[in-house]
Amino acid sequence: EASPQPRSGRSAALRARMEERLLGARFRYLNQQLYSGSSRDAARLFRADPAAFQLYHRGFERQVQRWPERPVQRIVRYLRRRPASLVVADFGCGDCTLATSVRNQVHCFDLVPLTPQVTVCDMAEVPLADESVDVAVFCLSLMATNLQEILGEANRVLKLGGTLMVAEVASRFEDIRAFLKAMAQLGFRTVSKDLSSSYFYLLEFAKTGPARAGTAHGLRLRPCLYKRR
């Protein structure tokens, strides 16, 4: 008579695969919602269902783990070369990896607090005074449709001459030149751009002044949609 153990093992493996597929489907649905709505829509979504943010974050981490390098580590190395006295604002901080990896004071903002360090808010309305930070960071967090409003908020809180660091998925950029031109309209001069990775681009800007009036037409990023695996 066959032992029941192999059958039990197969059942557990099947159940695990089914749970994995359900989690993957839920992650893709949440991801689509975040890229197709404004930052206010995202804030409402996760206020109504905070557990969904943790599920999303788990799915996001699994995607980034496949990359040869995590962009947040590039930003960590950048800040470690700069004075520790610089004040940083991390827009879309996730699990606060940046804050726990540098000596700087880091204001951590996100839609749901994965750690106690996080201040919950809409990325277009962070609770900071005008010109109060030296470095603003968006690490894989420019997701909403109101990009101009969100980056305008970064301009508001940055000191004149302050640094804006943007790390984003390379395939999201439709036209990098048009994007950089739009950033100039928003009051940011391009300091450096690293386009060498096929996974993500790392852009450094300096604040030159307030944003100019009008729509920054080149400020477009494609949605980052994940295929079913």
Side-chain angles (χ1 to χ4, degrees):
E1 184 176 351
S3 168
Q5 185 61 36
R7 185 179 302 164
S8 175
R10 287 196 298 272
S11 297
L14 178 60
R15 185 166 60 251
R17 284 198 299 272
M18 290 179 67
E19 289 176 355
E20 188 77 8
R21 288 177 182 174
L22 286 171
L23 287 172
R26 179 69 168 147
F27 167 72
R28 289 190 296 274
Y29 169 78
L30 290 170
N31 188 72
Q32 186 172 359
Q33 297 304 302
L34 294 176
Y35 281 103
S36 60
S38 70
S39 59
R40 283 175 288 277
D41 295 330
R44 283 193 291 268
L45 171 67
F46 290 126
R47 251 195 327 268
D49 186 5
F53 186 84
Q54 300 207 20
L55 186 151
Y56 176 81
H57 188 71
R58 282 169 54 196
F60 172 82
E61 282 296 309
R62 288 173 56 195
Q63 297 292 332
V64 176
Q65 282 172 4
R66 299 188 178 102
W67 295 9
E69 182 181 29
R70 294 172 64 94
V72 68
Q73 295 303 330
R74 290 283 300 277
I75 297 173
V76 165
R77 292 199 295 272
Y78 170 84
L79 286 174
R80 285 177 176 171
R81 295 193 299 268
R82 303 286 304 277
S85 58
L86 297 180
V87 178
V88 181
D90 189 358
F91 289 73
C93 61
D95 60 4
C96 296
T97 296
L98 186 63
T100 57
S101 303
V102 298
R103 292 180 296 154
N104 308 70
Q105 178 188 0
V106 181
H107 298 283
C108 300
F109 302 113
D110 218 322
L111 299 169
V112 173
L114 291 182
T115 76
Q117 292 172 271
V118 177
T119 298
V120 175
C121 63
D122 177 354
M123 297 305 105
E125 297 180 48
V126 298
L128 288 175
D130 294 356
E131 300 188 357
S132 58
V133 302
D134 302 287
V135 182
V137 173
F138 289 89
C139 186
L140 306 180
S141 57
L142 286 176
M143 305 175 68
T145 54
N146 55 327
L147 289 181
Q148 184 163 345
E149 189 178 2
I150 292 169
L151 289 165
E153 182 72 343
N155 182 297
R156 180 186 71 80
V157 304
L158 271 172
K159 298 174 183 177
L160 187 65
T163 299
L164 171 65
M165 299 294 295
V166 173
E168 262 306 335
V169 177
S171 60
R172 295 193 64 203
F173 290 88
E174 295 182 11
D175 184 337
I176 188 66
R177 290 185 180 180
F179 186 88
L180 298 179
K181 185 177 179 180
M183 291 298 291
Q185 184 178 334
L186 296 183
F188 294 107
R189 172 178 59 84
T190 304
V191 175
S192 67
K193 54 183 187 295
D194 185 345
L195 315 181
S196 60
S197 171
S198 60
Y199 290 87
F200 66 90
Y201 290 167
L202 184 63
L203 310 174
E204 178 185 354
F205 303 93
K207 177 180 171 178
T208 58
R212 299 197 298 271
T215 302
H217 293 289
L219 199 71
R220 291 193 300 273
L221 292 172
R222 297 186 184 97
C224 189
L225 303 179
Y226 298 98
K227 297 179 181 178
R228 180 176 179 179
R229 296 181 182 275

